[in-house]
Amino acid sequence: MDSPILHFITPPIPYFIDCGRAYYEAGEYHISRSDIGVFDLIVVTRGSLAISENGTEWLLEQGEALILKPDGHHYGYAACNEATEMIWIHFQTYGSWRESSNMDECLANQTELIKTHKVSAYLNHCDVCSIFIPKHTRITTKDIELLEHFSQLDQEPQSMRNWKRQASFQQFMQHMDLGLSSLSDVAAIRIAEKVELYIRQNYPLPISNPMLQKELNYHPNYLARSMLKVYGMTPMEYLLHYRIEQAKKLLLQTAWPVARIAEEIGFNHVSYFSSCFAKREGISPSNFRSKFTNTETNSTTHSELML
């Protein structure tokens, strides 16, 4: 089933807000509303529902799901021709997202969306990845069971109910994400994930394209194409990206000298590390540390105490 794709950058993962059921008699319409401020996941469990978003129309049959955007105009474009029931879930995200027409468009815009995410989201020194959710899809029996679980949680105390609903929602979204991935280039995704995992586990080592070829048994050109398709960067670009992200963590979490941090993350020369860091972050490693930890203030106070 061809469908636009909602592309979310995470963390943070889209989070659950509220859920419920809605019923329509024959002849009734879905309500008209605009800019509701949350994503609205609709799953028809009985009958059919005619709904439009910004002029695009869908006729949802039993077992079909649609995600409406928080900034759109949603309305029923035709009356229900029979008794209809649906489950709705409201959710939102603090991260960057966009709607794309297909997976190729998602991957082509991934690097730009990640850059936007790092500016708008509160996470400035954390790995990020993508979640791809079909806007319109037919869901599985397993997904229906997860959704039915939301109603069962009404019997739980509120404190437990909210935790369990969030966990069930994330499991549901994960199923949708994995289901869509299986429709794309599965081989490229799996290879890219192997490269990414190898780099994460071995980044302090002198990793090179020949080393990746030997370890993963694929030609460097194929590894590069797979990484570009999935992560928007080559293996060596991802290695540099990951090392810099680890450096940022060490700068904020330790008092190690910059030279030691450079060595710990795989750089042979501190000057080269500083140059790469400044090129990517627009600030030197030392100034990055001072900006977030008040190192200069702490050093001054310590010196005064020694006098």
Side-chain angles (χ1 to χ4, degrees):
M1 180 185 298
D2 292 333
S3 166
I5 299 170
L6 292 168
H7 182 180
F8 297 92
I9 304 297
T10 180
I13 294 173
Y15 55 89
F16 170 86
I17 295 178
D18 197 7
C19 66
R21 291 179 180 268
Y23 305 88
Y24 301 90
E25 299 295 337
E28 292 185 329
Y29 289 74
H30 186 280
I31 192 171
S32 177
R33 65 210 179 163
S34 298
D35 300 313
I36 63 174
V38 293
F39 291 92
D40 189 8
L41 167 63
I42 293 173
V43 179
V44 174
T45 56
R46 182 164 62 99
S48 62
L49 183 68
I51 191 165
S52 177
E53 179 183 69
N54 299 334
T56 301
E57 298 177 349
W58 290 270
L59 179 61
L60 303 181
E61 303 289 350
Q62 181 176 333
E64 290 186 313
L66 177 69
I67 299 177
L68 301 172
K69 296 183 292 185
D71 55 354
H73 176 208
H74 317 140
Y75 57 93
Y77 68 86
C80 295
N81 56 20
E82 59 182 318
T84 297
E85 179 180 349
M86 74 177 197
I87 297 172
W88 57 267
I89 297 176
H90 289 167
F91 68 94
Q92 189 52 281
T93 180
Y94 281 113
S96 292
W97 66 275
R98 66 178 295 169
E99 182 177 307
S100 298
S101 58
N102 52 52
M103 183 64 78
D104 287 340
E105 184 179 329
C106 286
L107 296 174
N109 294 316
Q110 184 166 232
T111 301
E112 177 187 350
L113 193 61
I114 288 175
K115 289 181 180 179
T116 302
H117 178 85
K118 288 192 172 184
V119 172
S120 60
Y122 65 87
L123 296 166
N124 294 316
H125 51 279
C126 182
D127 288 333
V128 297
C129 63
S130 292
I131 298 175
F132 304 108
I133 307 294
K135 183 178 182 68
H136 176 218
T137 188
R138 177 168 291 280
I139 62 175
T140 66
T141 302
K142 177 65 175 178
D143 293 329
I144 288 290
E145 292 175 359
L146 282 172
L147 292 173
E148 294 292 348
H149 185 56
F150 278 85
S151 298
Q152 299 169 13
L153 292 175
D154 286 340
Q155 309 305 316
E156 296 274 357
Q158 186 180 48
S159 58
M160 292 299 298
R161 182 168 67 244
N162 290 337
W163 281 108
K164 291 182 178 181
R165 279 178 169 173
Q166 175 65 24
S168 295
F169 170 71
Q170 289 186 191
Q171 189 176 2
F172 178 80
M173 294 289 277
Q174 185 180 26
H175 283 184
M176 295 184 73
D177 178 40
L178 295 175
L180 182 61
S181 295
S182 67
L183 300 177
S184 63
D185 189 349
V186 177
I189 291 175
R190 296 295 174 261
I191 293 302
E193 288 176 342
K194 288 183 179 180
V195 175
E196 188 263 353
L197 184 60
Y198 182 84
I199 289 174
R200 287 172 64 93
Q201 294 176 339
N202 299 281
Y203 68 91
L205 302 178
I207 296 176
S208 63
N209 284 320
M211 177 188 290
L212 290 175
Q213 181 179 16
K214 179 180 178 181
E215 293 294 331
L216 301 176
N217 200 29
Y218 287 98
H219 193 278
N221 290 344
Y222 182 59
L223 296 178
R225 287 198 303 271
S226 297
M227 284 292 289
L228 281 168
K229 181 178 180 65
V230 179
Y231 293 100
M233 54 186 99
T234 67
M236 293 302 99
E237 289 171 340
Y238 185 85
L239 173 62
L240 177 59
H241 158 79
Y242 192 75
R243 283 173 169 171
I244 296 299
E245 293 301 317
Q246 299 314 300
K248 288 156 70 175
K249 293 177 183 179
L250 292 174
L251 286 165
L252 298 181
Q253 296 171 4
T254 75
W256 293 351
V258 172
R260 179 180 175 183
I261 290 175
E263 182 180 357
E264 289 285 338
I265 63 172
F267 283 87
N268 293 326
H269 303 287
V270 65
S271 59
Y272 181 57
F273 162 65
S274 297
S275 174
C276 291
F277 190 100
K279 185 176 181 180
R280 288 183 61 89
E281 302 299 323
I283 189 172
S284 71
S286 297
N287 287 338
F288 177 87
R289 170 180 274 165
S290 298
K291 178 180 178 181
F292 293 104
T293 64
N294 296 319
T295 303
E296 293 179 357
T297 301
N298 293 338
S299 297
T300 300
T301 302
H302 180 70
S303 298
E304 290 173 349
L305 291 173
M306 295 292 290
L307 293 176

